Amino acid sequence: MKKVMKTTAAGGVGFLAGILLEQGLESLTGLDFVDGLFAVSGSILAALSVNKELVKAASRNIEQMFGKDPLEISESEWRQFKEVNPKTAEWLEKALKI
Amino acid sequence: MIPSLSLLTGIVTGLATKIGLAYLREHGYMPQSVYVNKALKALEDDDLDEAIRNYNLATAKKRSTDRTEIAYEIISQAIMIRIDKIQARLDAIDQVLHPPVLSLQYWRNLLPRNRPQLESLQEERSGFEEAVLVLQRIKNQLSERT
């Protein structure tokens, strides 16, 4: 029991010391130590959501090109878009199963 | 008071991770989709420089893929849309500044009271011309990598 208490106390002190030191170093160097971990998880999330972002960006371009919602464009407007952006159009057709 | 070895190891590891990740991120070693995603996000925020920087990082260390080619089309199209919009405004200004001889606008432009308005349009025109040049320069930066 005494050993457990001792370990817990040492762990607590170490934890607090770590936080204090990290905060001190962060304020001195301007570096965020935890950011590294978030950067990795952020990268994984970014990789997962890239397809969604491509669709969103392409839709914005269509909207700006024709001044209307991508769902409302006509066949000829779509062909016009396809002519200028062949890869994007082909990919959108596949992704949205048009 | 000397910090324990495990604490020091933790700090050194944290620092190394932080510096290492920053290096990898800044030199294009992260997964390609990360940069493509960042480029598209920057485009959404209307930050063309950042969009192109991230696109170039996406293709800096890795070969072009379907995703990067699509991102290239999307970014260059977004720039072209901006250029076209400015060009349309320039054409409208030119119709006022340089109307066909003997048109009504031509005679209006000769009136002294319209001079300040014409001067302000001339200034606006120069600004738009500059903007087109900047956008074309940005687009060329994008083309260099492909």
Side-chain angles (χ1 to χ4, degrees), chain B residues 120-143:
Chain B
S120 104
L121 274 178
Q122 191 68 52
E123 267 176 42
E124 202 179 338
R125 193 185 187 286
S126 312
F128 283 139
E129 270 181 337
E130 184 100 354
V132 169
L133 284 176
V134 169
L135 285 170
Q136 273 165 349
R137 204 167 55 232
I138 288 175
K139 193 170 179 289
N140 289 341
Q141 284 173 9
L142 181 71
S143 309

mmCIF file of all heavy atoms in Angstrom, chain B residues 120-143:
data_model
loop_
_atom_site.group_PDB
_atom_site.id
_atom_site.type_symbol
_atom_site.label_atom_id
_atom_site.label_comp_id
_atom_site.label_asym_id
_atom_site.label_seq_id
_atom_site.Cartn_x
_atom_site.Cartn_y
_atom_site.Cartn_z
ATOM 1 N N SER B 120 -11.352 58.982 -62.244
ATOM 2 C CA SER B 120 -11.477 57.916 -61.231
ATOM 3 C C SER B 120 -11.621 56.545 -61.918
ATOM 4 O O SER B 120 -11.104 55.537 -61.437
ATOM 5 C CB SER B 120 -12.618 58.216 -60.273
ATOM 6 O OG SER B 120 -13.726 57.445 -60.523
ATOM 7 N N LEU B 121 -12.324 56.519 -63.060
ATOM 8 C CA LEU B 121 -12.437 55.269 -63.815
ATOM 9 C C LEU B 121 -11.074 54.820 -64.351
ATOM 10 O O LEU B 121 -10.756 53.638 -64.359
ATOM 11 C CB LEU B 121 -13.400 55.441 -64.993
ATOM 12 C CG LEU B 121 -14.878 55.224 -64.716
ATOM 13 C CD1 LEU B 121 -15.700 55.492 -65.965
ATOM 14 C CD2 LEU B 121 -15.157 53.811 -64.228
ATOM 15 N N GLN B 122 -10.275 55.800 -64.761
ATOM 16 C CA GLN B 122 -8.931 55.502 -65.274
ATOM 17 C C GLN B 122 -8.076 54.860 -64.168
ATOM 18 O O GLN B 122 -7.362 53.889 -64.408
ATOM 19 C CB GLN B 122 -8.286 56.821 -65.750
ATOM 20 C CG GLN B 122 -7.003 56.638 -66.540
ATOM 21 C CD GLN B 122 -7.237 55.973 -67.895
ATOM 22 O OE1 GLN B 122 -8.073 56.416 -68.669
ATOM 23 N NE2 GLN B 122 -6.526 54.894 -68.157
ATOM 24 N N GLU B 123 -8.216 55.430 -62.958
ATOM 25 C CA GLU B 123 -7.480 54.865 -61.803
ATOM 26 C C GLU B 123 -7.943 53.448 -61.504
ATOM 27 O O GLU B 123 -7.141 52.543 -61.255
ATOM 28 C CB GLU B 123 -7.716 55.734 -60.569
ATOM 29 C CG GLU B 123 -6.664 56.805 -60.383
ATOM 30 C CD GLU B 123 -6.992 57.702 -59.206
ATOM 31 O OE1 GLU B 123 -7.422 57.184 -58.163
ATOM 32 O OE2 GLU B 123 -6.834 58.926 -59.357
ATOM 33 N N GLU B 124 -9.270 53.278 -61.534
ATOM 34 C CA GLU B 124 -9.845 51.951 -61.272
ATOM 35 C C GLU B 124 -9.332 50.951 -62.302
ATOM 36 O O GLU B 124 -8.977 49.819 -61.984
ATOM 37 C CB GLU B 124 -11.376 52.046 -61.376
ATOM 38 C CG GLU B 124 -12.106 50.944 -60.643
ATOM 39 C CD GLU B 124 -13.622 51.087 -60.749
ATOM 40 O OE1 GLU B 124 -14.113 52.207 -61.007
ATOM 41 O OE2 GLU B 124 -14.293 50.067 -60.599
ATOM 42 N N ARG B 125 -9.233 51.415 -63.547
ATOM 43 C CA ARG B 125 -8.761 50.558 -64.644
ATOM 44 C C ARG B 125 -7.316 50.097 -64.381
ATOM 45 O O ARG B 125 -7.004 48.920 -64.553
ATOM 46 C CB ARG B 125 -8.831 51.345 -65.958
ATOM 47 C CG ARG B 125 -8.683 50.488 -67.151
ATOM 48 C CD ARG B 125 -8.635 51.269 -68.446
ATOM 49 N NE ARG B 125 -8.653 50.337 -69.558
ATOM 50 C CZ ARG B 125 -7.620 49.593 -69.915
ATOM 51 N NH1 ARG B 125 -6.477 49.690 -69.267
ATOM 52 N NH2 ARG B 125 -7.719 48.754 -70.915
ATOM 53 N N SER B 126 -6.478 51.051 -63.953
ATOM 54 C CA SER B 126 -5.068 50.700 -63.671
ATOM 55 C C SER B 126 -4.998 49.641 -62.573
ATOM 56 O O SER B 126 -4.193 48.705 -62.645
ATOM 57 C CB SER B 126 -4.279 51.927 -63.209
ATOM 58 O OG SER B 126 -4.509 52.994 -64.056
ATOM 59 N N GLY B 127 -5.844 49.809 -61.550
ATOM 60 C CA GLY B 127 -5.875 48.840 -60.448
ATOM 61 C C GLY B 127 -6.259 47.455 -60.934
ATOM 62 O O GLY B 127 -5.638 46.458 -60.561
ATOM 63 N N PHE B 128 -7.263 47.418 -61.802
ATOM 64 C CA PHE B 128 -7.714 46.113 -62.340
ATOM 65 C C PHE B 128 -6.641 45.475 -63.217
ATOM 66 O O PHE B 128 -6.448 44.267 -63.195
ATOM 67 C CB PHE B 128 -9.014 46.286 -63.136
ATOM 68 C CG PHE B 128 -10.237 46.446 -62.259
ATOM 69 C CD1 PHE B 128 -11.231 47.362 -62.570
ATOM 70 C CD2 PHE B 128 -10.401 45.654 -61.130
ATOM 71 C CE1 PHE B 128 -12.351 47.503 -61.770
ATOM 72 C CE2 PHE B 128 -11.529 45.792 -60.318
ATOM 73 C CZ PHE B 128 -12.499 46.725 -60.639
ATOM 74 N N GLU B 129 -5.969 46.337 -63.994
ATOM 75 C CA GLU B 129 -4.889 45.808 -64.869
ATOM 76 C C GLU B 129 -3.789 45.167 -64.024
ATOM 77 O O GLU B 129 -3.281 44.093 -64.345
ATOM 78 C CB GLU B 129 -4.296 46.936 -65.709
ATOM 79 C CG GLU B 129 -5.006 47.099 -67.033
ATOM 80 C CD GLU B 129 -4.392 48.195 -67.871
ATOM 81 O OE1 GLU B 129 -3.734 49.098 -67.313
ATOM 82 O OE2 GLU B 129 -4.567 48.149 -69.083
ATOM 83 N N GLU B 130 -3.471 45.875 -62.944
ATOM 84 C CA GLU B 130 -2.452 45.360 -62.007
ATOM 85 C C GLU B 130 -2.900 44.020 -61.431
ATOM 86 O O GLU B 130 -2.129 43.070 -61.350
ATOM 87 C CB GLU B 130 -2.276 46.378 -60.875
ATOM 88 C CG GLU B 130 -1.208 46.027 -59.889
ATOM 89 C CD GLU B 130 0.097 46.778 -60.140
ATOM 90 O OE1 GLU B 130 0.195 47.494 -61.152
ATOM 91 O OE2 GLU B 130 0.984 46.625 -59.330
ATOM 92 N N ALA B 131 -4.180 43.956 -61.046
ATOM 93 C CA ALA B 131 -4.717 42.722 -60.455
ATOM 94 C C ALA B 131 -4.632 41.557 -61.443
ATOM 95 O O ALA B 131 -4.289 40.439 -61.061
ATOM 96 C CB ALA B 131 -6.164 42.939 -60.033
ATOM 97 N N VAL B 132 -4.929 41.836 -62.718
ATOM 98 C CA VAL B 132 -4.850 40.778 -63.742
ATOM 99 C C VAL B 132 -3.412 40.280 -63.855
ATOM 100 O O VAL B 132 -3.162 39.076 -63.925
ATOM 101 C CB VAL B 132 -5.374 41.293 -65.112
ATOM 102 C CG1 VAL B 132 -5.048 40.303 -66.220
ATOM 103 C CG2 VAL B 132 -6.872 41.518 -65.053
ATOM 104 N N LEU B 133 -2.459 41.234 -63.849
ATOM 105 C CA LEU B 133 -1.038 40.851 -63.949
ATOM 106 C C LEU B 133 -0.622 39.967 -62.776
ATOM 107 O O LEU B 133 0.067 38.964 -62.953
ATOM 108 C CB LEU B 133 -0.155 42.097 -63.996
ATOM 109 C CG LEU B 133 -0.131 42.851 -65.332
ATOM 110 C CD1 LEU B 133 0.710 44.110 -65.213
ATOM 111 C CD2 LEU B 133 0.429 41.966 -66.445
ATOM 112 N N VAL B 134 -1.067 40.371 -61.565
ATOM 113 C CA VAL B 134 -0.735 39.596 -60.358
ATOM 114 C C VAL B 134 -1.306 38.178 -60.469
ATOM 115 O O VAL B 134 -0.624 37.194 -60.212
ATOM 116 C CB VAL B 134 -1.250 40.313 -59.089
ATOM 117 C CG1 VAL B 134 -1.161 39.406 -57.870
ATOM 118 C CG2 VAL B 134 -0.477 41.591 -58.840
ATOM 119 N N LEU B 135 -2.575 38.094 -60.896
ATOM 120 C CA LEU B 135 -3.216 36.782 -61.013
ATOM 121 C C LEU B 135 -2.520 35.919 -62.065
ATOM 122 O O LEU B 135 -2.349 34.711 -61.876
ATOM 123 C CB LEU B 135 -4.700 36.947 -61.358
ATOM 124 C CG LEU B 135 -5.599 37.390 -60.216
ATOM 125 C CD1 LEU B 135 -6.983 37.756 -60.709
ATOM 126 C CD2 LEU B 135 -5.721 36.305 -59.156
ATOM 127 N N GLN B 136 -2.100 36.560 -63.161
ATOM 128 C CA GLN B 136 -1.400 35.776 -64.185
ATOM 129 C C GLN B 136 -0.050 35.279 -63.675
ATOM 130 O O GLN B 136 0.363 34.163 -63.977
ATOM 131 C CB GLN B 136 -1.210 36.614 -65.453
ATOM 132 C CG GLN B 136 -2.425 36.509 -66.362
ATOM 133 C CD GLN B 136 -2.488 37.561 -67.429
ATOM 134 O OE1 GLN B 136 -1.716 38.537 -67.408
ATOM 135 N NE2 GLN B 136 -3.405 37.404 -68.361
ATOM 136 N N ARG B 137 0.600 36.132 -62.885
ATOM 137 C CA ARG B 137 1.884 35.721 -62.303
ATOM 138 C C ARG B 137 1.686 34.526 -61.350
ATOM 139 O O ARG B 137 2.438 33.560 -61.367
ATOM 140 C CB ARG B 137 2.519 36.907 -61.566
ATOM 141 C CG ARG B 137 4.014 36.782 -61.433
ATOM 142 C CD ARG B 137 4.701 38.039 -61.007
ATOM 143 N NE ARG B 137 4.174 38.593 -59.773
ATOM 144 C CZ ARG B 137 3.787 39.859 -59.645
ATOM 145 N NH1 ARG B 137 3.857 40.690 -60.644
ATOM 146 N NH2 ARG B 137 3.323 40.305 -58.498
ATOM 147 N N ILE B 138 0.617 34.616 -60.556
ATOM 148 C CA ILE B 138 0.300 33.521 -59.619
ATOM 149 C C ILE B 138 0.013 32.239 -60.408
ATOM 150 O O ILE B 138 0.477 31.164 -60.059
ATOM 151 C CB ILE B 138 -0.916 33.904 -58.739
ATOM 152 C CG1 ILE B 138 -0.509 34.976 -57.736
ATOM 153 C CG2 ILE B 138 -1.463 32.698 -58.002
ATOM 154 C CD1 ILE B 138 -1.640 35.523 -56.906
ATOM 155 N N LYS B 139 -0.718 32.368 -61.509
ATOM 156 C CA LYS B 139 -1.054 31.191 -62.323
ATOM 157 C C LYS B 139 0.217 30.580 -62.935
ATOM 158 O O LYS B 139 0.343 29.366 -63.030
ATOM 159 C CB LYS B 139 -2.044 31.580 -63.415
ATOM 160 C CG LYS B 139 -2.657 30.374 -64.087
ATOM 161 C CD LYS B 139 -3.794 30.768 -64.997
ATOM 162 C CE LYS B 139 -4.371 29.538 -65.663
ATOM 163 N NZ LYS B 139 -3.490 28.951 -66.653
ATOM 164 N N ASN B 140 1.141 31.451 -63.324
ATOM 165 C CA ASN B 140 2.403 30.938 -63.880
ATOM 166 C C ASN B 140 3.195 30.145 -62.843
ATOM 167 O O ASN B 140 3.844 29.165 -63.182
ATOM 168 C CB ASN B 140 3.268 32.089 -64.405
ATOM 169 C CG ASN B 140 2.674 32.679 -65.653
ATOM 170 O OD1 ASN B 140 1.851 32.055 -66.312
ATOM 171 N ND2 ASN B 140 3.074 33.895 -65.989
ATOM 172 N N GLN B 141 3.122 30.584 -61.596
ATOM 173 C CA GLN B 141 3.814 29.839 -60.520
ATOM 174 C C GLN B 141 3.246 28.428 -60.415
ATOM 175 O O GLN B 141 3.953 27.480 -60.150
ATOM 176 C CB GLN B 141 3.611 30.531 -59.172
ATOM 177 C CG GLN B 141 4.460 31.763 -58.987
ATOM 178 C CD GLN B 141 4.080 32.500 -57.712
ATOM 179 O OE1 GLN B 141 3.311 32.003 -56.892
ATOM 180 N NE2 GLN B 141 4.615 33.692 -57.554
ATOM 181 N N LEU B 142 1.939 28.325 -60.650
ATOM 182 C CA LEU B 142 1.281 27.018 -60.592
ATOM 183 C C LEU B 142 1.712 26.161 -61.772
ATOM 184 O O LEU B 142 1.963 24.978 -61.626
ATOM 185 C CB LEU B 142 -0.237 27.222 -60.617
ATOM 186 C CG LEU B 142 -1.130 26.002 -60.537
ATOM 187 C CD1 LEU B 142 -1.078 25.416 -59.145
ATOM 188 C CD2 LEU B 142 -2.557 26.365 -60.875
ATOM 189 N N SER B 143 1.856 26.775 -62.920
ATOM 190 C CA SER B 143 2.197 26.013 -64.123
ATOM 191 C C SER B 143 3.624 25.482 -64.098
ATOM 192 O O SER B 143 3.906 24.453 -64.695
ATOM 193 C CB SER B 143 2.034 26.897 -65.359
ATOM 194 O OG SER B 143 0.782 27.488 -65.347
#
